[in-house]
Amino acid sequence: MFNAIVIEKDDAGYRAGLTPLEDAQLPSGDVLVRVDYSTLNYKDGLAITGQGPVVRQFPMVPGIDLAGTVEHSRHAEFRVGDRVLLNGWGVGEKHWGGLAQKARVNGDWLIPLPEGLDARAAMAVGTAGYTAMLSVLALQRHGITPDSGKVLVTGANGGVGSFAIAFLARQGYQVVAATGRLNEAEHLRRLGAAEVIDRAPLSVPGRPLAHEQWAAAVDSVGSHTLANVCAGLRYQGVVTACGLAQGMDFPASVAPFILRGITLVGIDSVMRPEADRREAWQRIAEVVDTPLLDQITREIGLSEVIDTAQALMAGKVRGRIVVNTQR
């Protein structure tokens, strides 16, 4: 027997609870993982509370991230005892996820845990940090270096934004953080932001072309914010789009693209090819700041997940939540 958070929807309604399960109840897959740590992301909060249509089938074990140790494998690449991690691939939505003490998954979804990164640290980074690193790598592939100029990060107090600031700063970039919570400016500077600005001017309808301010940007907000970021990029600037906190619309003009030659790069973290995942996590292992992770991370056990998910959706949670599934 093992414990898991299980979401059910039937005639009795929508509910989530800590539930004992047997191995035989796990879904199909060629690798059985003892989950050491998972996380509580915003998408998990939506799933657990039922505030968003995240779960595609029931019953469902939420948890879009997991890190742990292989207990059984029929996959050619993994053996018993291997340390592995998983992000995306629909786990926690279409396939049982990581908020459990065990998970049976498709081995093709797993990658080895990089040297220098333990399971807890990997989950402190989680999908948020992984997405941020994919964005940083995309900027670098498009020729953005620390000498290129300022890099704007929108949604700076969010998970992706916070890690983007930290990862960019540790590689020598001059980061400008845009936030609606200016009272958190000192926190953003500790992460590595050289400058903190109010998001308000970016979040309203703007001009097709604005003053050239940033060499590049990481945007997790979308809508008017992304349009204004594009309008304010310097010649041949690059922006990655990896979120839609403000909205999924893009009320922009082609002017920055054809007059300044800017590039808009879409960032998907769910279905990313294995090579990209390995590269991103290896880079994370190289630049991650463990003391910083300790500062922004709170650890809970499985029994605390339901209450914490409700607090998360009420905006009462700051920083990263790591779930020690064996607690």
Side-chain angles (χ1 to χ4, degrees), residues 2-324:
F2 66 94
N3 291 321
I5 303 297
V6 179
I7 302 171
E8 298 185 85
K9 182 181 181 181
D10 51 30
D11 292 341
Y14 189 104
R15 60 197 183 279
L18 183 61
T19 306
L21 298 173
E22 297 180 355
D23 287 13
Q25 293 175 267
L26 287 166
S28 61
D30 53 10
V31 180
L32 178 65
V33 179
R34 185 194 73 217
V35 180
D36 297 318
Y37 287 92
S38 184
T39 60
L40 189 61
N41 295 286
Y42 185 76
K43 185 179 284 187
D44 301 321
L46 288 172
I48 290 168
T49 63
Q51 293 186 31
V54 172
V55 178
R56 310 294 179 83
Q57 59 189 43
F58 299 88
M60 177 58 60
V61 173
I64 65 173
D65 297 325
L66 66 85
T69 307
V70 173
E71 285 196 343
H72 180 267
S73 175
R74 292 183 287 107
H75 192 280
E77 189 171 343
F78 298 105
R79 298 180 179 180
V80 173
D82 286 349
R83 301 186 309 150
V84 294
L85 65 85
L86 187 155
N87 307 100
W89 295 112
V91 297
E93 302 173 65
K94 297 182 290 185
H95 190 97
W96 285 15
L99 287 171
Q101 293 177 319
K102 292 186 180 184
R104 184 181 288 132
V105 299
N106 182 337
D108 291 341
W109 302 342
L110 298 168
I111 65 168
L113 193 65
E115 290 294 326
L117 202 63
D118 62 24
R120 188 183 189 279
M123 291 297 94
V125 173
T127 287
Y130 161 62
T131 302
M133 182 55 78
L134 289 174
S135 290
V136 172
L137 291 172
L139 295 182
Q140 293 173 340
R141 288 193 189 99
H142 283 82
I144 302 299
T145 70
D147 294 331
S148 298
K150 295 180 179 179
V151 180
L152 175 69
V153 175
T154 65
N157 274 301
V160 175
S162 296
F163 278 112
I165 292 168
F167 292 158
L168 286 164
R170 283 184 60 85
Q171 295 177 75
Y173 290 86
Q174 185 177 3
V175 183
V176 179
T179 180
R181 290 182 275 171
L182 291 175
N183 60 314
E184 298 280 1
E186 187 54 38
H187 168 67
L188 295 174
R189 290 191 178 94
R190 285 198 299 270
L191 290 176
E195 184 180 348
V196 180
I197 64 173
D198 189 349
R199 74 179 181 193
L202 293 171
S203 61
V204 296
R207 298 162 56 189
L209 280 176
H211 175 66
E212 297 181 52
Q213 301 181 67
W214 311 292
V218 174
D219 177 68
S220 59
V221 179
S223 192
H224 290 294
T225 298
L226 178 56
N228 286 320
V229 169
C230 289
L233 285 177
R234 290 165 52 179
Y235 187 76
Q236 291 192 331
V238 183
V239 55
T240 62
C242 56
L244 40 75
Q246 185 179 6
M248 63 188 300
D249 58 327
F250 183 42
S253 164
V254 298
F257 297 91
I258 60 177
L259 297 179
R260 292 182 182 163
I262 72 165
T263 299
L264 174 60
V265 183
I267 302 296
D268 163 62
S269 62
V270 176
M271 306 300 291
R272 203 76 179 203
E274 180 184 352
D276 291 355
R277 293 170 181 270
R278 285 176 178 258
E279 179 185 15
W281 278 104
Q282 183 56 49
R283 287 289 296 277
I284 288 168
E286 293 168 1
V287 305
V288 73
D289 186 332
T290 302
L292 174 64
L293 287 182
D294 291 338
Q295 289 179 33
I296 65 173
T297 300
R298 177 161 66 95
E299 182 177 312
I300 64 173
L302 274 178
S303 63
E304 302 167 83
V305 164
I306 305 297
D307 288 344
T308 307
Q310 293 170 346
L312 175 65
M313 301 313 298
K316 298 179 181 179
V317 172
R318 173 184 167 184
R320 296 286 297 161
I321 300 295
V322 171
V323 182
N324 182 341

